[in-house]
Amino acid sequence: MNYVRGFIPWIVFAIVSSAGWQWAAVAGLVAGVGLLVKDHKAGVEGESLILECSTVCYFVALAALAFALPHSELQYYGGAMSLGWLALTAWATLAVGRPFTTGIAKRQAPPEVWHTPVFRRINVVITSVWAAAFTVTAAVLTLVSAQGLGSQVSVPVQVAGFVLPAVFTARYPERARARFMQAAR
């Protein structure tokens, strides 16, 4: 559930978007800041807040854009832009060797496994799956928006873009640990 929690602002944005992209951006920003404040008060380390910090940056920029240019054609690409930003965030964390899922996983895993090769590998793989899912979903949503196919197509695409990597995230670590243990014998 810790993985899903980090996407709450994005879900809020998607839900509120029917009221206008300006208000959706503000709602996503408020939700993102709310998560950051709550986590900061709880003593969560910065490494565990990469997604939340990236989210707040995105919604600050989007809100500014949406209020400055309320009638911009970009409003029709909100889902694609959001998933594109998430893809950039995920790929960037991989590029710098700090997969965004590591901080989230550390909230659940005992400290003695944090520096093991299997823990690192699991997080590289999971972050890669999220990055690929975000990239593909952003591309598909761009096409859906460009073709004017509407929410009857974009909503299932967005749901799949989150559900598929979430299911993988829930199942993969145990399988990877089991393979590692078997190989170690």
Side-chain angles (χ1 to χ4, degrees):
M1 283 308 292
N2 279 331
Y3 289 97
V4 174
R5 188 179 168 284
F7 297 118
I8 289 172
W10 303 93
I11 295 166
V12 168
F13 172 75
I15 292 168
V16 178
S17 64
S18 63
W21 72 316
Q22 301 94 329
W23 304 114
V26 169
L29 176 59
V30 168
V33 169
L35 284 177
L36 270 177
V37 168
K38 183 178 180 186
D39 287 341
H40 179 71
K41 286 182 179 180
V44 176
E45 294 182 29
E47 177 188 30
S48 298
L49 301 173
I50 293 170
L51 182 61
E52 289 84 349
C53 290
S54 174
T55 295
V56 167
C57 291
Y58 175 78
F59 284 121
V60 164
L62 184 65
L65 175 67
F67 280 99
L69 302 169
H71 303 295
S72 171
E73 292 294 312
L74 289 175
Q75 68 182 302
Y76 304 113
Y77 294 86
M81 291 187 310
S82 296
L83 274 293
W85 181 265
L86 287 169
L88 286 172
T89 299
W91 290 119
T93 66
L94 286 167
V96 299
R98 299 179 65 98
F100 83 89
T101 59
T102 303
I104 299 167
K106 284 182 176 181
R107 295 184 194 182
Q108 300 168 340
E112 56 269 13
V113 302
W114 292 357
H115 301 290
T116 64
V118 69
F119 183 80
R120 170 133 177 83
R121 178 71 184 148
I122 287 169
N123 281 286
V124 167
V125 170
I126 290 173
T127 298
S128 298
V129 167
W130 280 102
F134 293 149
T135 302
V136 169
T137 306
V140 172
L141 287 174
T142 299
L143 294 172
V144 167
S145 295
Q147 296 298 314
L149 298 177
S151 62
Q152 67 275 12
V153 176
S154 67
V155 169
V157 168
Q158 290 180 57
V159 168
F162 281 98
V163 170
L164 295 175
V167 168
F168 179 84
T169 299
R171 295 181 179 169
Y172 176 73
E174 194 55 46
R175 284 192 256 154
R177 282 190 290 271
R179 278 192 302 245
F180 179 78
M181 296 303 284
Q182 187 176 17
R185 293 181 202 177

